[in-house]
Amino acid sequence: MELLFSLFTIIILTASIVYVLLQDWQATANRLFTLFTSGSLVLSIAGAVRYTSRNSTEIRLLSGLLISLLAAIFGLFVWLIMIVFMPHRYRQPVVRWAAIAPYVVMAVFLAIDWYGSFGLVGGDVFREEIGRLSFVRGPLFWSALILYIIGCVIVPIVMLVTIAVQHPKMRSLALWLTAGAALTLVTGFVFRELGMVTLTYVSLLPLHVVFGWVVIRYGVFRPSQIALQAAVENLPDGVLILDANRHVRFANRAAQRIMPACAGDGQAFEHVLAESGFHEQTMAEDQERGRRRFARAADGKIILASEVAISDEQGTSSVVLLRDVTRSERQQAELLTSRAALAERTAELERSLAELQQRDALLRRLTLPIIPLSETVLLVPLIGAFDPDRCQTFIDLTLPKIAERNVRTVLVDLTGLTVFDQDLARALRQLSDGARLMGAQVALCGIRPDMAAVMIHTGSTWNGMRSFATLQAGVKALLANTAMVGA
């Protein structure tokens, strides 16, 4: 009977491993379940062999494996609870290893105590009256047993009960596993009290049977279920599922952060919004985009809700996507304010630039005075140094004056120049050509020897341009000539 029950257990565990791996062998949860079930499978086989063997060495080796493996299996069970119900905690290495560390320490300690023959927890002693090894309790046996009950029974059950209480959507799954863990404890105790020691090590079967039921009923280890749950739970946007009566049936962690009131089961969506302090402020732009806007006055939070209706054989439900746009809205407002300030600053700079240009034009005019000597004669004294820009300004100011006053002669005084270079010489030739086309001529006065040398090296022809030694001589000659023409 015991052998048949052990064989049945091995078949069930093997089938569970194959089924879960066929679902998705690459998923972490599936691999962890496989490791947990494989440990139980090895435990069942080793237990059956240990209690049917007559070889003392073989029995001793298997006994040490059994007590250590049992602690490791329940450590994997705690991990399995975390990855199924608390995947965000399982992904935190510190939390994950802190949860399994006591079980690893227990398994290592039991193995060292057993194989080192220290006998702190207990050991096998050969009894001649029965002709086989018998377990003798050590000084730490009851302490180890209490730790075993706490870590391998109470802790997993407390975790599952807590999950069932705090997460109503997972209540059925957690309660099923709680019942399986409790039944495992009861069957192990009953088998040991009845003297069916071999079956003690297959007492994990109820837990695995329950796991098989929830795998089929709830699809825990299906790729789509695991991937969808992980993706939805880790989305930065809130996701709500509403039933036909618009009651919240699911809310991921982001939605619960935005609206803590949606953590309760079965509340109406509008009621959850009001309880969380949100009031609708949907604008025309939002309506065009098929979304609703809600704001909370307490902290200025703004969320956008987009809703999609889904119809199936069970009726019509809705999926609501909540996006917290508080930061983006504030940044957009700050950007608009910055743009307005930038536009105002740009306008001020443009006004300042216009004023500077006006002042610059005034300064150019002041540094290039054009003095009428008569109705047909203009005097243009050049003072200081002339760069290419100032040379162009000189031409631009003089030619319009020639046309405006119908001038016949422009007397350019070079006495005040500090530098005379080829740029200014070229500008004088251009002014002379322009004036000649307008029926006027250009005369020069105050030419120094260095200026004459530059004029010669320009390669231009200066023969057609009158020149005078001094300003007085030029003014006198031109005015006299004007008087003669007038007479």
Side-chain angles (χ1 to χ4, degrees), residues 17-40:
I17 294 172
V18 174
Y19 178 82
V20 171
L21 288 180
L22 287 177
Q23 293 295 311
D24 185 3
W25 65 272
Q26 293 182 333
T28 303
N30 295 38
R31 292 183 177 184
L32 186 57
F33 177 82
T34 301
L35 188 61
F36 166 69
T37 309
S38 298
S40 300

Side-chain angles (χ1 to χ4, degrees), residues 46-66 114-115 124-126 131-135:
V49 174
R50 185 248 187 267
Y51 284 100
T52 56
S53 175
R54 295 295 180 266
N55 187 307
S56 59
T57 302
E58 186 179 80
I59 292 174
R60 182 174 179 274
L61 291 175
L62 290 175
S63 297
L65 173 65
L66 290 172
W114 185 271
Y115 292 118
D124 283 338
V125 176
F126 182 79
R132 61 182 301 175
L133 294 175
S134 178
F135 180 77

